[in-house]
């Protein structure tokens, strides 16, 4: 079946450093790749997404890169701040309305 | 702004009880989903619905059923709650034909004793 692997499961960085989270998927037909952020006790919310016709997308301190050939996409957070501490999920929507989520990465930003 | 609400934030039930979790969205989205979230396992799809009265099994439907009588409302039913159904339950909705952003509710933390 379709699979999404997300790494690392936990990431601890110093405030101001960069953080990178990677997801690898298996469905060749996937063409939309969102990232969700879930702060403690809150709902997951979309923070950035990318469609397969581009290789990179940026929104201020966050960016997503996509390598369709290798079937992986990554979330990059630069100049991390304590409020970036959260669980981040990648997702791969499949055909037929289903979406597979990665297992999540818990990011700690130390002040 | 999309708003997805869930009927309860916290629930405590006893083994064998019938449990109803309700989700309402106000953006006229066609698709609605129920997930459970457990540490280290991410979000696992229980059931989804792409239209009123339509439902499809997700990856872990055993022990659950759903109901979608109105477009804005999607209910998850635990026919006979068991302790292994203790979890966080998240509802979500999306528009269109799939491969779109999902908007999540605040979650219901269910404890089955």
């Amino acid at each position: 079946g379709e699979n999404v692997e997300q790494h690392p499961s936990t990431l601890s960085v110093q405030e101001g450093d960069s953080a990178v989270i990677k997801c690898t998927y298996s469905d060749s037909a996937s063409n939309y790749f969102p990232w969700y952020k879930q702060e403690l006790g809150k709902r997951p919310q979309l923070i950035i997404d990318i469609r397969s016709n581009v290789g990179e997308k940026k929104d201020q301190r966050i960016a997503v890169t996509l390598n369709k050939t290798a079937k992986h996409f990554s979330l990059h957070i630069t100049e991390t701040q304590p409020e970036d501490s959260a669980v981040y999920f990648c997702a791969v929507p499949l055909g037929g309305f289903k979406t597979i989520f990665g297992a999540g990465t818990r990011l700690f930003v130390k002040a | 702004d999309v708003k997805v609400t869930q009927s309860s934030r916290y629930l405590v039930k006893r083994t064998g009880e019938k449990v109803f979790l309700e989700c309402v969205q106000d953006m006229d989205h066609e698709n609605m989903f129920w997930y459970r979230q457990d540490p280290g396992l991410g979000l696992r799809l229980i059931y989804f619905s792409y239209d009123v009265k339509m439902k499809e099994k997700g990856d872990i439907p055993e022990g659950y059923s759903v109901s979608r009588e109105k477009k804005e409302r999607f209910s998850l039913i635990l026919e006979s709650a068991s302790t292994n159904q203790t979890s966080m339950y998240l509802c979500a909705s999306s528009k269109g034909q799939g491969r779109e952003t999902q908007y999540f509710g605040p979650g219901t933390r269910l404890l089955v004793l």
Side-chain angles (χ1 to χ4, degrees), chain A residues 40-101:
Chain A
L40 188 63
K42 296 190 176 180
R43 71 190 76 194
Q45 289 190 297
L46 178 76
I47 54 170
I48 195 167
D49 56 17
I50 192 169
R51 295 197 184 267
S52 59
N53 56 342
V54 298
E56 183 176 6
K57 182 178 178 181
K58 286 184 180 179
D59 183 3
Q60 300 182 348
R61 294 186 298 107
I62 60 173
V64 55
T65 57
L66 171 65
N67 184 328
K68 279 219 78 177
T69 303
K71 296 184 189 174
H72 64 73
F73 58 111
S74 298
L75 176 69
H76 304 256
I77 306 174
T78 58
E79 301 173 29
T80 53
Q81 301 169 4
E83 53 265 38
D84 294 328
S85 295
V87 178
Y88 292 83
F89 294 97
C90 63
V92 179
L94 307 175
F97 309 101
K98 287 182 67 174
T99 292
I100 297 182
F101 288 84

